[in-house]
Amino acid sequence: MTDISDTLASLPSPADPAGPGIELEQTLFEVRRVIVGQDRLVERLLVALVADGHCLLEGVPGVAKTLAAQTLATVVGGTFSRIQFTPDLVPSDIVGTRVYRATQETFDVELGPIMANLVLADEINRAPAKVQSALLEAMAERQVTIGGRSFDVPEPFLVLATQNPIESEGVYQLPEAQRDRFLMKVVVDYPGDADELAILYRMSTDKPRPRRVLDPQRLRALQARAAGIFVHHAVAEYVVRLILATRDPARFGLPGIAPLLAYGASPRATLGLVAAARAQALLRGREYVLPADVRDLAVDVLAHRLVLTFDAVADGVRAEDIVHRLVAAVPPPQVAPDRRPLTPDLAAA
């Protein structure tokens, strides 16, 4: 295994990363004042936001998916819009349309709710294919097309989508290409016993109101700072090995997984895993990515991008379990923290 400690310890000292780390911790604190018992969900939402990637939330009704997105939008500032997806939705309902002005005998463009910094696509899997294709253009190209004209979405731009896994009537499966555009998919589970009681006490009377911590300009600065977080070549190679393991599990000692996977993760997953790891490193006050960051985020970044075979689906195999097995099988690069002390003010490469 490769030892990356010497390289990290020899980097020159940059500006203190504690500043961005403190801001992001304040953002987490404000969101957690409202959202109880979903610490992993809140952290993943902030990681996706700092990594400049979209996030898909899946869970049963009532586990605070929509509330978490609305609270995050309030805390980070900027414009916010919520779109309730339904089977009768048409593309113009989200991107906008052309309106004829009789007095001027001209057509004006009325932009839709997609033109916001943070867009909540509630129950995204209820919308038909035409709507998904219009949303996909905004997610991938950061623009919408109306009447042959293109309009850029505001920056920063984040789509937070929710979907309900337990309903089948009036629900459409998201296309693989669209799932691949989501940086992460976070499965939201029920809260624990103590958290359920805390929710009862906190939300049944005077509900807490979060305060604004960031603004769009500061958020863009944090995104730029995260993009410059140092990634050692050994960590980069580790990410690539994880991606290759989804395509050829037998090469990494897991031949039993090969019949379960029809398609592995794309190169977009490689870029997304590094971007998410950089954002998590910044959130934790570091200017460098550790293998632990990659391992922590692997399931959220990779699972929804895998295409399972028919036999795997019939047997109830979960993509998350496959990623867990792959992460356990692919050895990470070695970090020896006892050889030289690592300080949090390491330079971005």
Side-chain angles (χ1 to χ4, degrees):
M1 299 183 192
T2 306
D3 188 345
I4 66 176
S5 299
D6 289 340
T7 302
L8 295 178
S10 65
L11 292 173
S13 178
D16 185 6
I22 291 174
E23 285 182 298
L24 294 174
E25 281 294 335
Q26 291 173 341
T27 303
L28 283 176
F29 174 78
E30 284 299 317
V31 178
R32 286 169 176 166
R33 287 181 56 238
V34 179
I35 306 301
V36 182
Q38 298 289 1
D39 290 346
R40 177 175 169 274
L41 164 64
V42 173
E43 184 176 88
R44 293 298 190 265
L45 285 177
L46 191 56
V47 166
L49 189 62
V50 175
D52 197 17
H54 311 294
C55 190
L56 177 62
L57 309 179
E58 180 178 278
V60 298
V63 291
K65 302 185 300 297
T66 302
L67 181 61
Q70 293 174 327
T71 305
L72 180 65
T74 301
V75 174
V76 301
T79 55
F80 171 75
S81 65
R82 177 180 181 270
I83 307 173
Q84 182 66 49
F85 280 54
T86 56
D88 60 347
L89 209 65
V90 295
S92 60
D93 291 330
I94 64 171
V95 303
T97 187
R98 300 175 69 198
V99 178
Y100 181 69
R101 307 293 184 188
T103 57
Q104 302 174 359
E105 297 184 352
T106 59
F107 283 92
D108 289 341
V109 174
E110 294 288 343
L111 298 175
I114 197 69
M115 290 301 192
N117 294 119
L118 197 150
V119 178
L120 172 59
D122 220 351
E123 295 190 285
I124 187 175
N125 54 336
R126 289 190 178 277
K130 286 185 177 181
V131 175
Q132 301 295 356
S133 64
L135 181 63
L136 180 58
E137 180 188 9
M139 293 173 60
E141 309 299 334
R142 304 296 176 104
Q143 69 175 27
V144 297
T145 302
I146 304 173
R149 296 174 56 191
S150 296
F151 300 87
D152 293 333
V153 298
E155 293 292 343
F157 178 71
L158 173 70
V159 174
L160 292 179
T162 69
Q163 65 178 10
N164 181 355
I166 62 175
E167 293 188 19
S168 57
E169 185 176 354
V171 171
Y172 301 84
Q173 184 72 22
L174 291 183
E176 288 79 5
Q178 186 170 4
R179 295 205 308 266
D180 199 34
R181 264 29 179 234
F182 284 101
L183 174 65
M184 292 191 293
K185 174 185 173 182
V186 182
V187 178
V188 187
D189 206 350
Y190 290 113
D193 298 355
D195 293 329
E196 192 87 20
L197 185 61
I199 292 172
L200 176 61
Y201 284 125
R202 187 178 304 184
M203 305 302 291
S204 61
T205 55
D206 188 15
K207 300 178 182 179
R209 296 182 178 180
R211 65 181 181 89
R212 179 174 171 177
V213 176
L214 301 176
D215 57 64
Q217 290 74 26
R218 184 54 191 159
L219 180 56
R220 289 294 292 166
L222 290 172
Q223 290 175 340
R225 184 69 177 272
I229 294 294
F230 176 74
V231 179
H232 191 274
H233 67 84
V235 177
E237 292 171 357
Y238 175 53
V239 172
V240 171
R241 290 199 304 272
L242 283 175
I243 302 301
L244 294 179
T246 67
R247 304 172 191 170
D248 187 7
R251 178 179 169 186
F252 295 87
L254 294 173
I257 292 182
L260 304 177
L261 289 174
Y263 298 97
S266 69
R268 190 179 287 115
T270 307
L271 300 174
L273 187 52
V274 171
R278 280 175 160 154
Q280 179 165 288
L282 185 66
L283 177 61
R284 295 179 178 176
R286 282 185 275 107
E287 286 284 337
Y288 54 89
V289 173
L290 291 177
D293 297 320
V294 177
R295 295 171 69 92
D296 287 346
L297 296 165
V299 172
D300 300 306
V301 175
L302 299 182
H304 66 286
R305 304 175 191 268
L306 304 182
V307 179
L308 304 183
T309 62
F310 177 79
D311 291 338
V313 175
D315 292 339
V317 177
R318 300 192 319 144
E320 291 83 358
D321 296 333
I322 293 178
V323 176
H324 279 301
R325 293 178 61 183
L326 294 175
V327 170
V330 178
Q334 183 179 0
V335 179
D338 294 332
R339 295 182 59 182
R340 292 186 65 176
L342 299 181
T343 59
D345 56 347
L346 300 180

